[in-house]
Amino acid sequence: MVAFAEEERFSRRKHHKDSRSCAVAAAYCLSEAGITLADVDEIAIAFNPAWPTPSDICTDAELITELLAPALFGHHRPRQVTVVERHLAHAASAFHPSGFDEAAVLVVDGSGDGVSATIAHGTADGLKVLRQFPFSQSLGWFYETVAEHLGLGNWTSSGRLMGLAGYGNPDRYTLDFLTARAGGSSRRS
């Protein structure tokens, strides 16, 4: 790997909110590699803009322009980009640089291309998806709902709950599953 950068590091907006552009990060990475966008054979995006319709490529000129602002690349704009399933992209970015020859890979997020969790098996031959859970079973959405119920804002602000976790007292909520509690007393079962 020559370079890696998240667009949010340049825009200073968490998750580069309200934009799908990755142009500045891409320009940085190309500069670090000493090449131009015209030198790149294939560009992949980790979401399916046509979801729920399956798609392997995206030729939407407007979307490609939004993703890779041609003004930053000598007005070069690719005619198409390859679509990689979001969870497969997450799994690949975790497994391939891990150094393991074989591993179980778990991807969990709110929802991406209709999927909230994926279990895969990674080997030298690649990744094999073993099971996926639909977005309707999303733990991320449950987490966001709890955060919103607590008054911490909508889904874009639910990270505040995670930030507050470090200030909690875990002993207060520890459950002893071997102890039955009745009338304020406890006894071993």
Side-chain angles (χ1 to χ4, degrees):
M1 186 177 306
V2 175
F4 176 86
E6 289 277 355
E7 192 74 14
E8 69 181 16
R9 298 300 179 217
F10 299 98
S11 70
R12 300 306 221 194
R13 292 188 325 261
K14 186 171 183 167
H15 304 304
H16 194 58
K17 186 178 173 187
D18 300 326
S19 175
R20 294 185 290 189
S21 174
C22 57
V24 178
Y28 166 79
C29 291
L30 293 172
S31 174
E32 287 293 305
I35 61 174
T36 68
L37 187 59
D39 297 322
V40 176
D41 294 329
E42 186 172 17
I43 298 168
I45 57 174
F47 70 97
N48 178 3
W51 186 84
T53 304
S55 179
D56 293 330
I57 62 165
C58 171
T59 58
D60 181 333
E62 190 174 311
L63 174 61
I64 294 170
T65 298
E66 179 185 346
L67 294 169
L68 298 166
L72 290 175
F73 305 103
H75 297 283
H76 176 76
R77 184 183 54 79
R79 286 181 284 176
Q80 71 179 38
V81 294
T82 300
V83 174
V84 176
E85 180 193 337
R86 177 182 173 89
H87 279 227
L88 184 59
H90 280 312
S93 69
F95 173 69
H96 292 299
S98 74
F100 290 105
D101 295 328
E102 182 177 13
V105 182
L106 174 65
V107 176
V108 180
D109 68 6
S111 173
D113 294 342
V115 178
S116 69
T118 299
I119 300 169
H121 180 215
T123 66
D125 293 330
L127 289 157
K128 179 182 178 188
V129 173
L130 303 176
R131 183 149 184 215
Q132 291 188 312
F133 297 86
F135 68 90
S136 60
Q137 298 175 6
S138 172
L139 289 175
W141 283 13
F142 173 73
Y143 175 84
E144 291 167 0
T145 301
V146 169
E148 190 169 348
H149 177 75
L150 293 173
L152 298 173
N154 64 15
W155 71 272
T156 61
S157 303
S158 61
R160 294 176 187 168
L161 182 59
M162 191 181 318
L164 290 170
Y167 295 101
N169 177 356
D171 294 333
R172 179 175 178 185
Y173 300 103
T174 300
L175 298 176
D176 182 351
F177 290 102
L178 301 176
T179 303
R181 306 210 184 266
S185 64
S186 63
R187 40 184 179 147
R188 297 271 176 208
S189 356

